[in-house]
Amino acid sequence: MPEVITIKTGELATAQNHAIIQTGSVGSCVVIAIYDHKAKIGGLAHAMLPTRSSKDDDDSLAKYSDEAVSNLVLEIEKIGGNRKNFVAKLVGGGAMFKNSTYQLGDKNVKSARRVLTNLKIHIENEDTGGNMGKSVEMNLGTGIVKVETSL
Amino acid sequence: MEFSAIEIDKLKEIVNIIEGNSNTSLSKMLDKKINMIVPNAFAGSIEKVHQKLKGDDEVVSAIFLKIHGDLNGAMLLTFCAKSAVNLAKLLGKGTVEISDLREFDKSALVEVGNILFGTSANVLADYLGLNIGYSVPNIATDMQGAIMDSVLTEIEEDFGKTLALETDINVEGENINGKVYYLFDKESTRKLLETIKSK
């Protein structure tokens, strides 16, 4: 049986050796999966807000989409990943309520995309937007990211 | 954002007063006895509150509206799928299947939510002498956690600190169990505590 790691909102995890990293209940949050195809290692982050406000002195690694991307990259490098081989996938950023005015999900996705582009990490695939909650499972042996909806 | 036990009790007391009134309205609408118990108050950073409230990937039907004016926050009412189906039956909406909930949530839940939250907002305003407005209700049926993250981030993008007061609600004699949440941002929580000091 592969090792299964579950992350909560605002958390990130890295793994290798065919482990599974999973996270549930993704609404307006964005989940960032980064994978190194050559080394077969990677990680998943579940971020909640687009960017840090000056008032927040919180030290969580993956609360904000932009910081979640850069921290996830650093963490994967720590276990032997090479940034040149990284590819990314994004899931989430939905609007659960139809007449929401905030577009927070969209902002979360844009914030993650911006940092990935700056770091020259290719976004291989996206399942973003819409109004469905999702759960996400990343297989570190293959880099495959499985997305499920509730209904 | 930390509160003393006394402050938490005070906050729960406000919710009790609000719910005493909204309970009566809802009870009249459904012609059933309604029980509401305030079991929990959570305060802290938004992701910590989220982790406490999000539950599993259980599917719930939720109605939510934002409060603005002197207080900023939100009110949220959720029913698990089974309870939502039973509620629809009670309201004479015929036989509803869980798979129909996305349609159902537009009708029955809105009625219940409007009664509950309309009364709540008015009581909150009258009792505290504050000016409180509220938005058009939003409805969704989906994973509890996914709904919760949308609601929390709608009220708390700036500070990332929030207060959540959680209430269990059930319709006596029916298998209908839900939860009501009153959520306030940091500034509003302070204002709430100041206002109740004089009460």
Side-chain angles (χ1 to χ4, degrees):
Chain A
M1 283 291 285
E3 183 194 4
V4 178
I5 303 161
T6 304
I7 58 167
K8 295 183 204 154
T9 311
E11 294 179 349
L12 62 79
T14 56
Q16 48 203 327
N17 295 336
H18 298 271
I20 304 278
I21 308 176
Q22 61 183 20
T23 191
S25 286
V26 184
S28 55
C29 290
V30 65
V31 170
I32 304 124
I34 296 180
Y35 191 62
D36 180 331
H37 281 280
K38 285 201 175 144
K40 295 202 182 298
I41 58 178
L44 202 69
H46 185 158
M48 197 168 193
L49 294 166
T51 196
R52 185 179 290 267
S53 81
S54 53
K55 291 165 193 153
D56 192 356
D57 51 3
D58 202 292
D59 57 359
S60 59
L61 286 179
K63 179 171 172 180
Y64 300 96
S65 320
D66 49 0
E67 294 176 14
V69 172
S70 31
N71 287 328
L72 184 59
V73 167
L74 292 174
E75 292 298 316
I76 301 169
E77 284 176 335
K78 272 188 206 165
I79 59 165
N82 184 341
R83 198 178 292 203
K84 277 189 278 183
N85 302 324
F86 286 1
V87 287
K89 287 172 185 164
L90 298 176
V91 182
M96 304 308 297
F97 295 99
K98 281 170 195 121
N99 45 341
S100 161
T101 48
Y102 245 34
Q103 304 295 321
L104 192 88
D106 191 44
K107 286 185 201 166
N108 274 334
V109 173
K110 281 183 177 147
S111 176
R113 266 193 218 129
R114 185 173 44 78
V115 180
L116 286 166
T117 310
N118 286 346
L119 296 173
K120 299 192 173 59
I121 295 170
H122 174 59
I123 303 171
E124 210 175 37
N125 215 330
E126 272 193 30
D127 181 357
T128 53
N131 61 0
M132 304 279 279
K134 289 160 189 164
S135 34
V136 182
E137 195 184 290
M138 180 184 197
N139 182 323
L140 276 300
T142 59
I144 290 173
V145 174
K146 204 165 83 184
V147 180
E148 281 182 358
T149 56
S150 61
L151 291 176
Chain B
M1 190 163 63
E2 305 246 322
F3 300 108
S4 66
I6 296 167
E7 285 173 325
I8 292 281
D9 281 347
K10 280 267 182 197
L11 291 164
K12 284 186 177 178
E13 191 186 311
I14 298 182
V15 175
N16 273 327
I17 291 164
I18 297 169
E19 291 185 338
N21 288 271
S22 45
N23 188 331
T24 310
S25 316
L26 193 59
S27 178
K28 272 187 197 151
M29 177 195 181
L30 298 173
D31 198 20
K32 295 275 174 193
K33 187 164 184 273
I34 313 282
N35 299 310
M36 291 169 108
I37 308 143
V38 191
N40 288 315
F42 304 112
S45 71
I46 190 167
E47 75 276 18
K48 290 283 179 288
V49 171
H50 185 261
Q51 285 171 9
K52 292 261 191 218
L53 299 183
K54 80 182 290 181
D56 303 325
D57 282 354
E58 185 193 18
V59 172
V60 297
S61 282
I63 178 163
F64 139 80
L65 52 80
K66 278 206 258 189
I67 311 165
H68 50 84
D70 288 339
L71 296 176
N72 284 311
M75 298 191 270
L76 174 74
L77 168 66
T78 65
F79 290 103
C80 67
K82 187 88 190 83
S83 291
V85 167
N86 291 338
L87 183 63
K89 282 182 194 152
L90 185 63
L91 285 164
K93 304 282 176 191
T95 313
V96 175
E97 297 300 324
I98 289 174
S99 53
D100 297 330
L101 278 177
R102 286 201 156 218
E103 272 315 302
F104 153 75
D105 63 24
K106 293 192 182 78
S107 54
L109 202 59
V110 174
E111 289 171 35
V112 173
N114 275 334
I115 294 279
L116 193 69
F117 293 148
T119 315
S120 298
N122 290 335
V123 172
L124 198 58
D126 288 347
Y127 178 69
L128 299 174
L130 296 172
N131 194 2
I132 296 166
Y134 51 92
S135 70
V136 177
N138 272 290
I139 310 117
T141 293
D142 216 307
M143 297 169 191
Q144 157 105 5
I147 286 177
M148 203 52 93
D149 82 50
S150 295
V151 170
L152 285 173
T153 48
E154 284 251 354
I155 61 164
E156 261 307 3
E157 194 180 4
D158 287 344
F159 305 97
K161 293 264 199 309
T162 195
L163 166 76
L165 296 152
E166 186 185 48
T167 301
D168 284 333
I169 174 172
N170 71 70
V171 182
E172 203 163 284
E174 307 286 329
N175 190 7
I176 301 174
N177 303 296
K179 283 189 187 292
V180 184
Y181 301 91
Y182 296 90
L183 305 155
F184 297 101
D185 68 12
K186 192 176 168 184
E187 213 42 51
S188 302
T189 307
R190 267 210 200 104
K191 210 178 279 178
L192 261 179
L193 285 170
E194 258 167 45
T195 314
I196 48 177
K197 258 188 205 157
S198 56
K199 291 278 165 191

